[in-house]
Amino acid sequence: MRGHEPRSSSSCAACKLLKRRCTPTCIFAPYFRSSDLITFAKVHKVFGASNVSKLLGEVPEEQRQETVNSLAYEAEVRLKDPVYGCIGAIASLQKKMLELQHDLAVARTRLLAHSGVSNHVSQLDNSPELAAFLDLVPYSDLMLLDGSTSLDAYLYDLGQPPFV
Amino acid sequence: MNPKRCAACKYLRRRCPKDCIFAPYFPPNDPAKFACIHRIYGAGNVSKMLQQLPDQTRAEAVESLCFEAKCRVDDPVYGCVGIIHLLQTQIQNAQNELAKTQAEVAVAQTKLSQTQNSDF
């Protein structure tokens, strides 16, 4: 075609998709090989090539691969869940963490109950009162992983509860 | 045209039409919100994403995009994926601790049963 520069046969995925010549200094080339077309397409769809280029330019070279990996992950999740993206994943993990904290506090309380009666016959283990207590104690009153009683360190402020 | 431009149209220096897709979610009193989201995603991409969503989900989509954009501004390498990694590590640690504690409870229960049996 007139005026059309031949594309390198080793164009990176970005330049292939953007239909441009892939130069030796192409910022995308080290991270989006020609086989990564689908990955770049997703990243481009969510963030846009020029924004990705700017982002990569703002981080040190040795951290660019990690940056691309995290952008690719975010783009993938956003395309699967266009409303919540990664926030949906964070909310699920937070919920799981709270459940584990509760289970751990219950287990620790049971352990304390046992360790205090090692030399005596105890009915505690079969006590319906203990079982009822452990099921009813709210999260905030139970001892947590590091011995603290505050959940704040484990929660991120996501603003509105609808993310859960 | 909206008599008062939304934050997006102010930022983009354009007229704000009555059916501006950004106006319901980017009020003029919060210019930083749009600036952040535009920096990471670009106005065009945000507009396309919102257009593909039903009206009733757009507000939440904007909030999640804003949160992710802010995470990316704060941590250009990992963005909100850093939070995911941290939570996954914490969950793994909590699961290990829970398994260990439950094993200790089982051992304590076994010892207690043995004590009760030997007394009788």
Side-chain angles (χ1 to χ4, degrees):
Chain A
M1 278 201 270
R2 198 182 298 172
H4 178 74
E5 288 190 48
R7 279 195 293 281
S8 159
S9 59
S10 59
S11 280
C12 72
C15 294
K16 264 191 185 172
L17 192 80
L18 299 171
K19 295 180 183 169
R20 66 186 196 191
R21 189 165 158 262
C22 191
T23 65
T25 56
C26 174
I27 197 165
F28 298 114
Y31 318 108
F32 294 103
R33 296 186 188 154
S34 54
S35 54
D36 296 327
L37 204 58
I38 293 175
T39 303
F40 182 77
K42 289 178 182 174
V43 170
H44 178 51
K45 184 160 184 184
V46 174
F47 295 100
S50 62
N51 288 333
V52 174
S53 173
K54 275 186 227 164
L55 279 167
L56 290 178
E58 286 168 4
V59 302
E61 204 170 328
E62 60 272 17
Q63 292 185 305
R64 286 178 185 171
Q65 184 62 64
E66 287 292 307
T67 305
V68 163
N69 292 345
S70 70
L71 287 170
Y73 181 84
E74 267 193 57
E76 176 89 37
V77 176
R78 178 59 64 174
L79 290 171
K80 279 188 183 157
D81 184 352
V83 179
Y84 296 115
C86 283
I87 305 309
I90 290 174
S92 295
L93 290 171
Q94 283 187 322
K95 192 173 171 205
K96 174 78 183 167
M97 190 63 197
L98 284 175
E99 287 166 0
L100 278 170
Q101 292 286 10
H102 178 259
D103 291 346
L104 185 58
V106 165
R108 282 185 168 185
T109 306
R110 285 189 201 274
L111 189 60
L112 282 174
H114 284 305
S115 64
V117 293
S118 55
N119 295 322
H120 304 278
V121 172
S122 168
Q123 297 304 309
L124 273 181
D125 190 57
N126 296 322
S127 161
E129 289 80 14
L130 175 63
F133 167 77
L134 290 170
D135 285 338
L136 287 175
V137 174
Y139 298 139
S140 56
D141 292 340
L142 295 173
M143 187 170 65
L144 298 181
L145 188 62
D146 58 0
S148 71
T149 55
S150 170
L151 285 168
D152 291 346
Y154 296 98
L155 290 177
Y156 294 94
D157 180 17
L158 296 179
Q160 297 293 329
F163 288 128
V164 174
Chain B
M1 185 182 90
N2 271 336
K4 205 170 181 186
R5 289 184 294 173
C6 71
C9 293
K10 257 191 184 175
Y11 186 96
L12 298 169
R13 293 181 189 176
R14 65 183 197 190
R15 285 181 178 180
C16 190
K18 272 190 178 168
D19 59 350
C20 174
I21 197 161
F22 298 118
Y25 319 109
F26 296 100
N29 60 352
D30 190 0
K33 185 177 174 184
F34 182 78
C36 182
I37 212 173
H38 176 58
R39 180 176 163 182
I40 301 302
Y41 296 102
N45 286 339
V46 176
S47 173
K48 273 187 227 165
M49 282 194 255
L50 291 179
Q51 277 167 12
Q52 287 166 4
L53 292 172
D55 273 351
Q56 61 270 25
T57 61
R58 287 178 184 175
E60 287 178 8
V62 165
E63 292 310 308
S64 72
L65 284 167
C66 287
F67 181 84
E68 286 187 34
K70 186 161 185 319
C71 287
R72 185 59 67 173
V73 167
D74 291 344
D75 182 353
V77 179
Y78 294 108
C80 69
V81 179
I83 297 175
I84 291 174
H85 285 160
L86 182 62
L87 281 168
Q88 286 173 335
T89 302
Q90 287 178 343
I91 283 171
Q92 185 62 55
N93 291 343
Q95 284 171 333
N96 292 343
E97 184 70 23
L98 180 63
K100 184 174 157 244
T101 307
Q102 286 173 335
E104 287 172 2
V105 169
V107 166
Q109 280 175 332
T110 304
K111 282 185 181 167
L112 189 60
S113 302
Q114 287 170 348
T115 307
Q116 285 173 328
N117 287 342
S118 68
D119 282 353
F120 292 112

